[in-house]
Amino acid sequence: MEEENAVELLQRFRRDRRVLLDFILSGSLIKKVVMPPGAVTLDDVDLDQVSVDHVLNCAKKGGMLELSEAIRDYHDSTGLPQMNSTSSADEFFLVTDPAFSGSPPRRAPPPIPASTPISVAAPVYAPSPVASLSSVAKSESFNSEEERELTVDDIEIDDFEDDDLDAEEFASARVVRRNTNDASDLVPKLPTFATGNSGFNHDCSKASLMTTSVKLHMKSSWLVLGQLGKGLIVPSKEKKKDKKSRLMRKLGRSKTQTLASQSDRAPGMAGLLETMRAQMEISESMDIRTRKGLLNALTGKVGKRMDTLLIPLELLCCISRTEFSDKKAYIRWQKRQLYMLEEGLINHPVVGFSESGRKGSELRILLAKIEESEFRESSAGEVQRTECLRSLREIAVSLAERSTRGDLTGEVCHWADGYPLNVKLYEKLLLSVFDILDEGKLTEEVEEILELLKSTWRVLGITETIHYTCYTWVLFRQFVITRELGVLQHAIEQLNRIPLREQRGPQERLHLKSLSSRVDGQELSFLQSFLSPIQKWADKRLGDYHLHFSEACGKSIGHANWWCHYFDPAVMEGILQVAIVTRRLLVEESETGIVSTSAMDRDQIESYISSSIKTAFTRTLQGVDKSDAMHDHSLALLAEETKKLLKKESSLFSPILSQRHPQSIVISASLLHRLYGIKLKPFLDGAEHLTEDVVSVFPAADSLEHYIMSLISSTSGDGTAEVNLRKLNSYQVESVSGTLVMRWVNSQLGRLLGWVDRALQQERWEPISPQQRHAPSIVEVYRIVEETVDQFFALKVPMRSSELNSLFRGVDNAFQVFAKHVTDKLDKKEDLIPPVPILTRYKKEAGIKAFVKKELFESKLPEETTKSRVVDVQATPILCVQLNTLFYAISQLNKLEDSIWEQWTAKKPREQFIKKSLEEKSPSLKQKGSFDGSRKDINAAIDRICEFTGTKIIFWDLREPFIENLYKPSVSQNRLEDLVEPLDLELSQLCSVISDQLRDRIVTSLLQASLDGLVRVLLDGGSSRVFYHTDAKILEEDLEVLKEFFISGGDGLPRGVVENHVARVRQVIKLHGYETRELIDDLRSSSGGGGSKLGGDTQTLLRILCHRTDPEASQFLKKQFRIPKSLS
């Protein structure tokens, strides 16, 4: 319970802390808030990693807040204990591990002056023992009562006797001043020292504390050497001030940050050397002791230059045991001098040995005897030491004064210019350019220090190339430790100053060629030893820049990307420049041939992209495999993560890489496309049905591919985009998906046709309501169609236009089947029309000559009874409902078609011109022509039903009053006006059921049928109907009655439509008005091929004559056409 309460309290504290920080940052307490790189709003910043103290200090000062600095302060303070912010100085915290700190000092520390204010506003880093002593130069600074100096000799040497202790614990005394980064994988490829002085090496994990002290002592030796160098001219600070570059001024600490002791230092050379002593963390006692020893060595040697002295030997001769407060400290100091002589004169001499190395063997024996003398009795040991030093001087001087590089004997003392000892010592000297309190800054005197270090070039054998190479190494390694961008930029500046081979002099080229060493069985030159580790380090980071330069890499400190904090484009750009320049220098050094610089840079960039993309993709794949997603397939998740990876690549890294390789984003996108395609192919090959996995994977893979293609198209030029896209091996997701979708569509369309047939079988052809006059079957059909369409677009898989076209054809076919099923049950209109009576003539004949003519009409005797076959005629209301239903079907097609296109466009927004392209490539697939087949069939069905309905009313429903009794036996007895009333009843019944949109079409069909019936009566009325030429006027009047009935005073059909239909009947009535002789003459003329003068055809003229009751017509028909005589 207590643990749960503690967790709940911690969560509440964190939540309240975020709310408070959000309030402060969003309010007006801070003048301006600068977001860290990669963040746009506060929502993009993890407030849990923002230092509250930093924010409050900025709020108190009313200045600008940089959140990147606040985040850095938070991470820097995580390794320190929480301060209680009290004014008491009685409490303190240890940063070092007490287990490795040894026993406490045996004397009390000097008292703290009362006038010294103590500030505890910020965490205080515990300085290293050497740094603490160096920062307190004299005992007067403590106002102590004893005039005594605090030196390293006051520390118990017994505490450091165990050589097995990890030197890293001791070395951390300086490192803990800030949370630095590990640079253990950045080590120069140089051989180790035979004497065990691995303190010169960067790999201190197994070095002893003693050898680390050797390193510090050698620094002091070279510092004094630089102080006493002949001919040294150090420019004053005032002269150098104007020459400082902007970068150097940026890197140097400001005057307000400089310690008070440095601002009060002595002017000129003395002050500069004092600053260097403090920077190199050399105790004042060691400095004084070394300085006295060298001055004693120069006694009596007027005109002797300092660079001709064998300094370790002179110190051994001039510094006695009495100058040390402890014997063990003296023994350790002496051992360091002996080791230096052995390394400089025997192990790494600049001049090779002669006489089979006899002097070297003698020198080793003497060095061992001197070391042995300290463990003998005082008198005997002193005698042995003195004799050995005398013999040692003879041998050592002879070895050191051997000439090399064209110098004269005695001109230079060669004891420290052997490779690689000289570059390791020079590297340690170069470390003095960094501020002791802020290792990410250069000291203000950096240029003076560098000028001073030039005085050691002669003794160490340093050239300009060696200097810039070593300085680049020191700066770059310091950047790796401190993450300071300014240090990286300064390192790049020095790297660019390294002369190329043709820029070096002949002597320097020979000298550099002689500097080689064998490490791990590999022969390495000087440049390879220092630049190849830099290149390897940069290649390692750039080979996985997605990990090492990610936005959130600051959360992974302590892991592979420990050196990075938050993504800074300048850092990656700088490291990329370092990698490229070092590769150029190493390629030139290897003498493998001349390679195009631009081509080599592009190849290098491509290798970085390929390596990082592959590694990042593998890491993404592993993350997806470990995820416990319940709904999405792993390939779908991998596609989404790959797209995120590519977006990160294009937004963060490509702007940097494209500066040196314009096609960088094309390379990365193409590679990611190929890597994902390898994982996707087995899944595509095994997909046979539209399963949940297929529906999950296909859209994600298709979306990724189209994003990659759009990215390549947008970043490529007009001429290269198509070429780059052709190089992609398409996933063919749409093709595989299209096959599966086509199977699904075919099965659904079969189901759709079954539903259409079922709906028609259950149809009773009754209107749904007075307002909805169509049948319910069409509503059911549309419901099934829309359901099928919705299911089609619910398939979130890639589709091609062919699948859409198949859907259109299937739906179109369903409506065609519906229309065909409606008309299949409809009889032919010819079955409603009674048979045409046999043509007969009037029974009384006139005596006229027969006109010999080919018989035009084969007359048959009429049957006594004519029977029509049985016809199952549907009622007029049913026909009207069918018409309404078909009209509803065709009227809703446009909405259905528009809906399908809208959903298709929404499904594929990238195809902005898909409609246009589909119309161009497939004329059968157009936005307004997808259902042309069903539209055509439905319209044909509507026309057929309309014609059938009109014919049915006239020839079936009104057969008796219209077809059988009109104008029978004469025109005057049964006029057409008697039919207006029953015709009006039929028309009213039609209009009461038919929809308004179909009214004119059905009424027009009724008009057409009425005129057909009238023509039937006038031309094929049978033997019981007789017409005279005087009846033409009555017939014309009846025709006008019929015409006005359908016009209905403007409420019916348009007058022009009615006039067009009536015109053909009016011509027949006009022929009825001619005399029999005129009709006979015109018939003879038209039969002979001369054409009709009266405007009638042969059949029309013949039928009119058959209905005349005069003997002349009867005789003509008998003789000419053998038409039988009427029975009535």
Side-chain angles (χ1 to χ4, degrees), residues 411-628:
E411 181 183 3
V412 178
C413 188
H414 301 289
W415 63 273
D417 52 353
Y419 180 78
L421 176 64
N422 58 341
V423 294
K424 288 189 175 182
L425 293 174
Y426 192 66
E427 174 193 347
K428 308 307 173 186
L429 291 175
L430 287 171
L431 290 175
S432 62
V433 301
F434 299 108
D435 196 291
I436 191 174
L437 297 181
D438 189 352
E439 294 178 344
K441 300 288 185 180
L442 297 178
T443 184
E444 275 192 334
E445 297 80 4
V446 55
E447 295 193 2
E448 289 87 338
I449 291 175
L450 292 176
E451 190 68 28
L452 178 61
L453 293 182
K454 285 186 179 181
S455 62
T456 65
W457 287 17
R458 186 180 182 88
V459 178
L460 296 177
I462 303 299
T463 64
E464 188 180 50
T465 302
I466 297 176
H467 163 74
Y468 286 126
T469 304
C470 291
Y471 195 26
T472 299
W473 166 266
V474 169
L475 288 169
F476 189 78
R477 187 173 185 275
Q478 198 71 8
F479 156 72
V480 173
I481 295 174
T482 62
R483 307 191 290 262
E484 288 291 341
L485 177 61
V487 177
L488 174 61
Q489 294 174 343
H490 194 36
I492 295 173
E493 181 181 340
Q494 301 303 316
L495 181 64
N496 291 325
R497 291 183 180 181
I498 298 177
L500 299 175
R501 181 180 301 172
E502 63 272 9
Q503 295 173 344
R504 306 167 194 160
Q507 186 175 358
E508 185 179 16
R509 285 201 294 267
L510 292 175
H511 177 54
L512 291 175
K513 191 174 182 179
S514 66
L515 301 183
S516 63
S517 59
R518 193 169 188 84
V519 180
D520 298 333
Q522 184 181 6
E523 196 72 22
L524 300 174
S525 65
F526 164 73
L527 286 177
Q528 289 173 340
S529 297
F530 277 87
L531 295 184
S532 59
I534 296 178
Q535 181 195 10
K536 182 179 179 181
W537 188 95
D539 287 348
K540 180 179 179 181
R541 270 68 192 172
L542 293 172
D544 192 5
Y545 55 78
H546 287 88
L547 174 66
H548 297 292
F549 298 96
S550 62
E551 289 178 309
C553 62
K555 299 179 182 179
S556 303
I557 295 176
H559 300 283
N561 53 347
W562 44 264
W563 66 276
C564 180
H565 198 67
Y566 273 95
F567 177 73
D568 187 353
V571 173
M572 180 178 175
E573 186 177 354
I575 295 178
L576 182 61
Q577 186 174 356
V578 168
I580 290 177
V581 176
T582 53
R583 182 177 292 271
R584 291 176 184 173
L585 292 170
L586 291 174
V587 168
E588 184 193 43
E589 184 72 13
S590 62
E591 300 181 354
T592 56
I594 304 300
V595 183
S596 173
T597 302
S598 59
M600 183 174 63
D601 293 348
R602 287 195 298 270
D603 293 342
Q604 190 174 357
I605 297 297
E606 288 184 13
S607 66
Y608 292 150
I609 296 174
S610 177
S611 175
S612 185
I613 288 292
K614 289 179 180 178
T615 307
F617 183 81
T618 302
R619 196 161 44 245
T620 301
L621 182 61
Q622 293 173 352
V624 169
D625 292 339
K626 294 178 181 178
S627 63
D628 54 350

Side-chain angles (χ1 to χ4, degrees), residues 793-841:
F793 287 107
L795 300 175
K796 302 301 181 181
V797 293
M799 300 179 189
R800 300 164 300 182
S801 58
S802 57
E803 286 78 58
L804 179 66
N805 195 11
S806 178
L807 177 67
F808 273 127
R809 287 197 302 268
V811 175
D812 189 45
N813 181 62
F815 285 108
Q816 290 179 10
V817 169
F818 184 89
K820 183 176 182 299
H821 192 282
V822 172
T823 56
D824 281 347
K825 294 184 178 181
L826 196 68
D827 292 304
K828 297 180 180 179
K829 70 174 183 177
E830 289 78 8
D831 296 338
L832 302 177
I833 301 175
V836 178
I838 298 298
L839 289 178
T840 61
R841 57 185 174 81

Side-chain angles (χ1 to χ4, degrees), residues 49-199:
Q49 299 191 36
V50 176
S51 174
V52 177
D53 293 335
H54 188 92
V55 174
L56 293 178
N57 289 336
C58 290
K60 291 178 182 178
K61 295 178 182 179
M64 179 176 63
L65 169 64
E66 292 188 4
L67 285 179
S68 57
E69 294 295 331
I71 295 172
R72 175 173 295 183
D73 285 354
Y74 172 82
H75 287 287
D76 289 345
S77 62
T78 53
L80 301 175
Q82 295 295 327
M83 307 301 293
N84 53 16
S85 300
T86 62
S87 59
S88 173
D90 297 334
E91 299 179 4
F92 64 94
F93 300 96
L94 289 177
V95 178
T96 56
D97 191 346
F100 297 97
S101 299
S103 59
R106 297 183 179 179
R107 68 177 183 83
I112 299 177
S115 59
T116 304
I118 299 176
S119 175
V120 291
V124 180
Y125 295 92
S128 65
V130 179
S132 300
L133 299 175
S134 63
S135 62
V136 183
K138 295 183 179 180
S139 60
E140 287 82 2
S141 61
F142 292 107
N143 295 329
S144 61
E145 297 178 358
E146 299 181 4
E147 297 290 336
R148 190 175 184 277
E149 179 179 273
L150 183 63
T151 66
V152 291
D153 301 328
D154 295 321
I155 303 177
E156 290 294 332
I157 304 299
D158 293 335
D159 301 331
F160 303 96
E161 283 298 319
D162 189 3
D163 290 345
D164 294 334
L165 293 177
D166 194 346
E168 188 174 339
E169 298 296 332
F170 181 80
S172 64
R174 171 171 179 165
V175 175
V176 295
R177 281 190 299 275
R178 61 183 284 142
N179 281 339
T180 54
N181 298 307
D182 183 18
S184 59
D185 57 344
L186 189 63
V187 182
K189 294 183 178 181
L190 296 175
T192 58
F193 291 102
T195 59
N197 286 337
S198 57

Side-chain angles (χ1 to χ4, degrees), residues 851-869:
F851 180 76
V852 180
K853 177 70 179 175
K854 184 179 180 180
E855 189 170 326
L856 296 177
F857 182 80
E858 293 272 344
S859 61
K860 296 182 180 180
L861 294 175
E863 299 181 358
E864 296 181 356
T865 58
T866 303
K867 298 181 180 179
S868 299
R869 69 183 183 87

Side-chain angles (χ1 to χ4, degrees), residues 624-625 627-641 676 679-680 682-684 691-701:
V624 169
D625 292 339
S627 63
D628 54 350
M630 300 299 294
H631 302 289
D632 293 334
H633 193 272
S634 58
L635 284 175
L637 294 177
L638 182 61
E640 294 299 325
E641 293 300 322
Y676 183 79
K679 298 296 179 182
L680 179 66
F683 184 84
L684 289 176
T691 62
E692 292 183 1
D693 290 342
V694 169
V695 175
S696 174
V697 174
F698 278 19

Side-chain angles (χ1 to χ4, degrees), residues 193 197-202 214-215 218 340 424-425 428:
F193 291 102
N197 286 337
S198 57
F200 294 122
N201 300 310
H202 289 283
V214 171
K215 177 189 68 174
M218 288 189 171
M340 181 57 64
K424 288 189 175 182
L425 293 174
K428 308 307 173 186

